[in-house]
Amino acid sequence: MPHLILPPSCRVPDREITPPEVFRDRRRFLKEMAAAGLITLAGPRLMAQALSRSVSPEAQSAALSLYPAPRNGQYAVDAPLTEQSVAAAYNNFYEFSTAKERVARLSADWQTRPWQVRVDGLVENPVVLSIEDVERLAPLEERVYRFRCVEAWAMVVPWTGYPLRRLLEHVRPTSEARYVRFVSRLDPEEMPGVHELRHYAWPYHEALTMEEAMNDLALLVTGIYGEPLPPQHGAPVRLIVPWKYGYKSPKSLARIELTAERPPTFWNEAVPSEYSWTSNVEPDVPHPRWSQATERRIGTGERVTTLPLNGYADQVGQLYT
Ligand SMILES: Nc1nc2c(c(=O)[nH]1)N[C@H]1C(S)=C(S)[C@@H](COP(=O)(O)O)O[C@H]1N2
Ligand SMILES: [Mo]
């Protein structure tokens, strides 16, 4: 793995310090209740309980009042939904672990409210938004999307959010803005994975062209399965770009920046021969170590044909002609 020289802007962790006292009492209370067998912390309402462990009661009820959001039937997928408990137990979130099955447990107590997102760069109206501001900036809706990881596994899940375009319009990009850069929060005290993977260019960062970011399918996501995002899925706000490989959908966003130059991206920088900057789902273009022609649906294990642009060619094909 190459050693990477980081530009100065990447060296400063984009994180907000949350005083742990704000949450400690409730978390200790829940843990004691769980230890005494009075409540269960795992079960069918897995997500709401994950939220309750990392969020103050006030923030929790404010958040829960927005979910579930009405489903937008225009974005249906002709396949059954992946089971909620399957998706929630098989995650790529390298800040916590490279072991997919361990991410949920390692991230369960990570505090994701209060939370702020900075949106700045080449915009007329730079803002710092609380997660509550983000959730209320535009009407939340639910969309069922296909999701395809470059490792050739896939799922079909209902995300809650609104088009990223709504946020970009709010900050009014200048005419020089050509790219949108996304930076995930880096919280080394809570993220065991970053200590094991020191050679990566943390914080996790990704980018889209302006045209991609403005496409209706690019979704700013705050919920999944009708509930606020739990930590392992990228709480409290992430991006979902369903026509690209999963690593183009960064989690737990701290900053969104509009730029004139094409920003470097995490996996493309780390291994350019394996991960292109654009990283569209292209079944005809094999990854150097495996085919991309088919995918395995997690949960059922069913193997299905991978579709060009992950089945979204009608909506985004014109961006690449
Ligand atoms: N910050 C951050 N975002 C990330 C990742 C990561 O390791 N860190 N992994 C990516 C990859 S490879 C995938 S497949 C998806 C997984 O999302 P999920 O766990 O919600 O299914 O998140 C993407 N976003
Ligand atoms: Mo992935």
Side-chain angles (χ1 to χ4, degrees):
M1 196 59 62
H3 243 81
L4 299 168
I5 312 294
L6 304 185
S9 67
C10 288
R11 279 199 210 108
V12 183
D14 284 289
R15 72 188 176 109
E16 300 288 328
I17 313 292
T18 303
E21 322 70 77
V22 174
F23 299 95
R24 198 172 285 142
D25 285 348
R26 175 165 172 88
R27 289 164 66 203
R28 187 192 297 139
F29 172 70
L30 283 169
K31 278 181 180 158
E32 283 168 3
M33 296 276 282
L38 296 174
I39 56 170
T40 40
L41 291 179
R45 302 300 288 175
L46 189 73
M47 301 265 172
Q49 282 158 0
L51 179 74
S52 75
R53 290 163 70 185
S54 57
V55 173
S56 74
E58 298 75 29
Q60 188 185 356
S61 58
L64 287 172
S65 67
L66 295 171
Y67 304 86
R71 183 172 290 187
N72 183 337
Q74 273 182 277
Y75 302 90
V77 171
D78 187 18
L81 288 185
T82 300
E83 291 238 18
Q84 179 177 6
S85 59
V86 169
Y90 191 81
N91 304 98
N92 274 335
F93 202 166
Y94 275 25
E95 288 90 329
F96 289 95
S97 176
T98 55
K100 294 177 184 42
E101 298 78 8
R102 296 188 63 211
V103 170
R105 191 161 45 79
L106 288 170
S107 64
D109 287 335
W110 189 39
Q111 295 164 17
T112 58
R113 287 171 198 255
W115 186 276
Q116 291 186 325
V117 185
R118 182 150 52 113
V119 191
D120 64 355
L122 299 175
V123 300
E124 287 169 16
N125 178 37
V127 289
V128 176
L129 300 173
S130 69
I131 183 57
E132 289 76 22
D133 295 335
V134 171
E135 284 172 314
R136 287 163 179 81
L137 190 105
L140 295 178
E141 62 181 61
E142 184 173 81
R143 296 183 179 188
V144 177
Y145 278 171
R146 288 181 210 84
F147 183 92
R148 171 63 154 80
C149 176
V150 73
E151 299 159 337
W153 58 265
M155 58 186 186
V156 178
V157 299
W159 302 108
T160 306
Y162 52 78
L164 173 65
R165 187 187 57 228
R166 304 297 298 270
L167 176 63
L168 298 179
E169 285 165 353
H170 179 73
V171 296
R172 298 196 302 275
T174 69
S175 55
E176 290 91 70
R178 292 187 55 211
Y179 296 92
V180 187
R181 172 177 175 255
F182 305 87
V183 185
S184 296
R185 188 166 311 284
L186 183 63
D187 199 350
E189 283 167 26
E190 301 292 329
M191 295 174 158
V194 301
H195 302 283
E196 282 154 33
L197 302 170
R198 286 166 186 273
H199 51 279
Y200 285 114
W202 305 111
Y204 195 94
H205 50 284
E206 256 302 336
L208 297 173
T209 66
M210 197 66 174
E211 294 69 36
E212 291 173 332
M214 295 296 283
N215 187 276
D216 178 65
L217 284 177
L219 204 63
L220 195 67
V221 164
T222 60
I224 187 170
Y225 294 98
E227 295 173 3
L229 284 175
Q232 70 268 35
H233 279 303
V237 57
R238 71 177 300 175
L239 187 68
I240 285 293
V241 189
W243 70 95
K244 293 177 179 282
Y245 291 120
Y247 59 88
K248 296 286 294 183
S249 292
K251 296 179 167 181
S252 303
L253 297 173
R255 185 173 179 198
I256 299 174
E257 183 190 14
L258 286 86
T259 68
E261 305 300 323
R262 196 178 83 163
T265 58
F266 189 86
W267 283 108
N268 177 238
E269 253 175 323
V271 198
S273 59
E274 299 196 0
Y275 309 105
S276 72
W277 192 89
T278 300
S279 287
N280 289 334
V281 174
E282 290 181 286
D284 298 342
V285 181
H287 182 274
R289 291 183 279 140
W290 56 81
S291 162
Q292 293 291 19
T294 64
E295 62 202 44
R296 176 182 55 87
R297 290 231 175 95
I298 59 169
T300 63
E302 185 192 4
R303 193 157 274 285
V304 298
T305 303
T306 294
L307 302 170
L309 295 168
N310 204 25
Y312 298 103
D314 286 351
Q315 291 93 323
V316 293
Q318 82 284 354
L319 295 173
Y320 307 105
T321 48

XYZ file of all heavy atoms in Angstrom, residues 87 90-95 147 149 153 155 159 184 202 204 232-234 238 246-252 267, ligand 1:
275
model
N -29.094 -6.137 6.411
C -28.348 -4.938 5.986
C -27.630 -4.294 7.166
O -26.517 -3.774 7.022
C -29.308 -3.941 5.333
N -24.074 -6.118 8.175
C -23.082 -6.412 7.124
C -22.698 -5.086 6.497
O -23.336 -4.627 5.552
C -23.726 -7.347 6.095
C -22.780 -7.969 5.093
C -22.027 -9.078 5.427
C -22.667 -7.445 3.795
C -21.173 -9.664 4.497
C -21.817 -8.023 2.868
C -21.077 -9.139 3.230
O -20.236 -9.716 2.305
N -21.716 -4.424 7.078
C -21.440 -3.030 6.697
C -19.986 -2.804 6.350
O -19.091 -3.332 6.997
C -21.798 -2.097 7.861
C -23.235 -2.279 8.307
O -23.504 -2.990 9.273
N -24.155 -1.678 7.590
N -19.758 -1.963 5.353
C -18.420 -1.427 5.112
C -18.351 -0.044 5.737
O -19.063 0.876 5.308
C -18.122 -1.340 3.607
C -17.573 -2.646 3.064
O -16.987 -3.431 3.804
N -17.754 -2.878 1.779
N -17.533 0.076 6.777
C -17.318 1.365 7.456
C -15.941 1.200 8.107
O -15.817 0.823 9.272
C -18.428 1.613 8.486
C -18.643 3.066 8.875
C -19.806 3.436 9.559
C -17.719 4.069 8.575
C -20.048 4.758 9.922
C -17.949 5.392 8.936
C -19.116 5.735 9.615
N -14.912 1.405 7.264
C -13.548 1.057 7.662
C -13.052 1.854 8.860
O -12.121 1.426 9.534
C -12.599 1.238 6.465
C -12.535 0.035 5.551
C -13.575 -0.873 5.474
C -11.406 -0.193 4.761
C -13.506 -1.965 4.633
C -11.321 -1.289 3.919
C -12.375 -2.168 3.857
O -12.283 -3.262 3.014
N -13.663 3.010 9.144
C -13.273 3.751 10.339
C -13.482 2.894 11.596
O -12.813 3.095 12.610
C -14.099 5.039 10.473
C -13.737 6.118 9.463
C -14.535 6.031 8.167
O -14.912 4.900 7.767
O -14.785 7.084 7.553
N -28.468 -1.153 -4.457
C -27.167 -0.712 -3.938
C -26.147 -1.798 -4.273
O -26.364 -2.969 -3.982
C -27.260 -0.515 -2.414
C -25.985 0.002 -1.804
C -25.777 1.363 -1.639
C -24.989 -0.875 -1.393
C -24.598 1.835 -1.083
C -23.809 -0.404 -0.838
C -23.611 0.951 -0.681
N -22.100 -2.911 -4.109
C -20.709 -2.741 -3.668
C -19.772 -3.285 -4.739
O -20.099 -4.247 -5.441
C -20.476 -3.468 -2.348
S -18.749 -3.397 -1.782
N -21.283 -7.702 -3.944
C -22.513 -7.992 -3.189
C -23.456 -6.811 -3.363
O -23.021 -5.705 -3.693
C -22.245 -8.303 -1.721
C -21.529 -7.245 -0.926
C -20.187 -7.163 -0.688
C -22.124 -6.103 -0.270
N -19.899 -6.049 0.056
C -21.076 -5.376 0.335
C -23.436 -5.623 -0.128
C -21.285 -4.201 1.062
C -23.649 -4.451 0.591
C -22.575 -3.759 1.181
N -27.669 -5.108 -2.382
C -28.875 -5.139 -1.562
C -29.912 -4.202 -2.178
O -29.607 -3.423 -3.076
C -28.560 -4.750 -0.111
C -27.940 -3.388 0.079
S -27.466 -3.122 1.829
C -26.946 -1.398 1.748
N -34.213 3.955 1.469
C -33.509 5.080 2.105
C -34.497 6.208 2.353
O -35.437 6.397 1.583
C -32.411 5.625 1.182
C -31.357 4.643 0.757
C -31.209 4.110 -0.492
C -30.294 4.101 1.560
N -30.107 3.265 -0.510
C -29.532 3.241 0.725
C -29.911 4.259 2.891
C -28.414 2.545 1.180
C -28.801 3.565 3.348
C -28.066 2.725 2.501
N -16.199 12.727 5.345
C -16.805 12.053 6.487
C -16.145 12.525 7.770
O -14.991 12.965 7.766
C -16.619 10.533 6.367
O -17.295 10.042 5.237
N -7.238 9.406 5.744
C -8.405 9.865 6.526
C -8.408 11.388 6.631
O -7.332 11.971 6.652
C -8.371 9.247 7.943
C -8.276 7.779 7.965
C -7.209 7.026 8.378
C -9.290 6.845 7.564
N -7.498 5.690 8.245
C -8.756 5.552 7.753
C -10.593 6.986 7.059
C -9.467 4.401 7.447
C -11.300 5.837 6.766
C -10.740 4.568 6.957
N -12.256 9.921 5.454
C -12.813 9.388 4.210
C -13.377 10.549 3.393
O -14.052 11.420 3.932
C -13.939 8.407 4.551
C -14.373 7.504 3.420
C -13.817 6.239 3.283
C -15.356 7.892 2.515
C -14.224 5.391 2.258
C -15.771 7.053 1.487
C -15.193 5.801 1.367
O -15.601 4.967 0.364
N -23.964 2.325 12.046
C -23.256 1.482 11.069
C -23.608 1.812 9.619
O -22.836 1.527 8.707
C -23.491 -0.018 11.348
C -24.886 -0.534 11.073
C -25.781 -0.487 12.289
O -25.685 0.430 13.113
N -26.651 -1.475 12.424
N -24.765 2.422 9.399
C -25.150 2.821 8.039
C -24.739 4.266 7.712
O -25.108 4.782 6.653
C -26.664 2.687 7.839
C -27.144 1.286 7.547
N -26.696 0.529 6.484
C -28.054 0.498 8.192
C -27.317 -0.651 6.476
N -28.142 -0.692 7.503
N -24.028 4.931 8.660
C -23.529 6.270 8.330
C -24.291 7.408 8.968
O -24.420 8.481 8.374
N -25.686 10.780 5.250
C -24.730 10.255 4.271
C -25.250 10.545 2.872
O -26.369 11.028 2.698
C -24.579 8.743 4.433
C -25.829 8.008 3.962
C -25.728 6.500 4.035
N -24.645 5.955 3.231
C -24.316 4.683 3.209
N -24.993 3.811 3.960
N -23.348 4.248 2.455
N -20.518 1.221 -4.233
C -20.904 1.685 -2.892
C -19.937 2.656 -2.253
O -20.347 3.524 -1.469
N -18.646 2.549 -2.572
C -17.684 3.439 -1.908
C -17.812 4.895 -2.347
O -17.210 5.775 -1.724
C -16.246 2.925 -2.082
C -15.761 2.773 -3.499
C -15.168 3.832 -4.178
C -15.880 1.555 -4.159
C -14.717 3.684 -5.479
C -15.432 1.389 -5.453
C -14.853 2.462 -6.112
O -14.421 2.300 -7.396
N -18.613 5.157 -3.412
C -18.893 6.544 -3.794
C -20.040 7.135 -2.953
O -20.493 8.244 -3.231
C -19.260 6.636 -5.278
C -18.166 6.239 -6.253
C -17.035 7.242 -6.412
C -17.433 8.556 -7.045
N -16.236 9.456 -7.234
N -20.517 6.400 -1.959
C -21.606 6.865 -1.090
C -21.090 7.053 0.330
O -21.331 6.222 1.215
C -22.766 5.852 -1.105
O -23.395 5.829 -2.370
N -20.377 8.166 0.589
C -19.719 8.342 1.890
C -20.711 8.514 3.047
O -21.777 9.091 2.880
C -18.888 9.614 1.689
C -19.573 10.355 0.588
C -20.134 9.296 -0.320
N -20.286 8.004 4.193
C -21.119 8.010 5.402
C -20.788 9.184 6.319
O -19.718 9.788 6.213
C -20.867 6.706 6.175
C -21.288 5.462 5.404
C -21.002 4.200 6.198
C -21.723 3.023 5.543
N -21.489 1.765 6.290
N -21.676 9.460 7.244
C -21.426 10.365 8.387
C -20.725 11.651 7.944
O -19.592 11.946 8.351
C -20.609 9.617 9.453
O -21.284 8.440 9.850
N -10.599 6.023 -2.342
C -10.152 4.749 -2.905
C -9.371 4.935 -4.198
O -8.455 4.177 -4.495
C -11.339 3.783 -3.096
C -11.726 3.191 -1.781
C -12.836 3.450 -1.042
C -10.945 2.267 -1.013
N -12.801 2.755 0.133
C -11.662 2.016 0.180
C -9.723 1.623 -1.203
C -11.191 1.155 1.161
C -9.254 0.768 -0.221
C -9.982 0.532 0.939
N -16.965 7.064 5.702
C -17.125 5.917 5.033
N -18.094 5.825 4.115
C -18.260 4.668 3.429
C -17.405 3.558 3.646
C -16.388 3.682 4.627
O -15.600 2.756 4.901
N -16.281 4.873 5.308
N -17.577 2.395 2.911
C -18.273 2.511 1.621
C -18.589 1.224 1.023
S -17.295 0.356 0.322
C -19.859 0.728 0.970
S -20.226 -0.697 0.145
C -20.967 1.437 1.660
C -21.678 0.492 2.635
O -22.830 1.079 3.179
P -23.734 0.258 4.225
O -22.841 -0.287 5.294
O -24.725 1.251 4.750
O -24.374 -0.850 3.466
O -20.532 2.593 2.392
C -19.539 3.355 1.749
N -19.288 4.575 2.512
